[in-house]
Amino acid sequence: MTLVLAAAARSSSSAVVSSVLAPTSNKQKPVILVVAGVIEKQGRFLLTQRFDHASQGGLWEFPGGKVEAGESEAQALERELFEELAIETTTGAFLADSVFDYGDKVIHLKGYLTHWVSGELVLHSHQDAKWVEQGEINRYSLCPADYPIVDALVRHFRQ
């Protein structure tokens, strides 16, 4: 699993980070488009912990899920956050994306700033959740594809 980062400028005020895999074989693997919400509420950000028995079990992530056919990325993110956490959100600015090879599949993860609208957090697809300050995020063991999103979040709030 090799992850190579490349930065590119986007519009006037934000930077886009793309992570690209170094090729490891000629074999085609399915590429799954996944969206993640960097949910901010009262100056803290939500991290969720994957079930121990799941892929990447026990690791923390920005919650989200797969984009289904016919959905925009924003629609998919808002649907997934409602299904997984029972909260309503609105999708904000794009932060970063990463492409990561997990062996049997390739995940193309796109992270967005996301705003809490309503609902009480209910964990349907995670074993734990924590509201953390930006500076605390790197204290958690994150899924590898989430790290470029953390870097973009830090840059976004430095501007």
Side-chain angles (χ1 to χ4, degrees):
M1 286 189 252
T2 306
L3 190 61
V4 181
L5 297 178
R10 179 176 148 145
S11 70
S12 58
S13 63
S14 63
V16 176
V17 173
S18 287
S19 302
V20 219
L21 276 175
T24 55
S25 76
N26 293 331
K27 194 166 122 180
Q28 290 284 64
K29 297 177 188 176
V31 177
I32 301 166
L33 179 58
V34 176
V35 287
V38 180
I39 304 169
E40 185 275 333
K41 185 178 179 185
Q42 299 174 340
R44 293 179 176 259
F45 299 92
L46 183 66
L47 292 178
T48 53
Q49 187 179 36
R50 298 177 65 84
F51 284 120
D52 287 333
H53 64 273
S55 170
Q56 302 178 72
L59 295 180
W60 294 83
E61 65 183 357
F62 295 112
K66 295 178 191 171
V67 177
E68 301 294 342
E71 283 183 314
S72 69
E73 292 170 6
Q75 289 169 329
L77 184 54
E78 292 164 15
R79 175 188 52 77
E80 286 283 351
L81 295 175
F82 185 76
E83 290 174 2
E84 291 185 359
L85 301 171
I87 59 172
E88 290 186 34
T89 60
T90 56
T91 303
F94 173 78
L95 286 173
D97 65 344
S98 66
V99 178
F100 206 84
D101 186 345
Y102 286 99
D104 60 334
K105 62 187 172 246
V106 175
I107 299 295
H108 182 180
L109 179 66
K110 293 187 170 191
Y112 289 88
L113 276 179
T114 305
H115 309 284
W116 184 294
V117 174
S118 65
E120 293 298 319
L121 198 65
V122 178
L123 299 178
H124 295 291
S125 302
H126 297 90
Q127 66 182 359
D128 200 1
K130 303 273 187 203
W131 289 100
V132 299
E133 293 182 11
Q134 180 185 317
E136 298 172 323
I137 293 172
N138 282 323
R139 295 181 189 167
Y140 292 81
S141 295
L142 300 175
C143 296
D146 283 60
Y147 284 103
I149 297 170
V150 174
D151 294 341
L153 177 67
V154 169
R155 280 192 308 280
H156 178 83
F157 282 99
R158 235 189 260 153
Q159 295 178 1

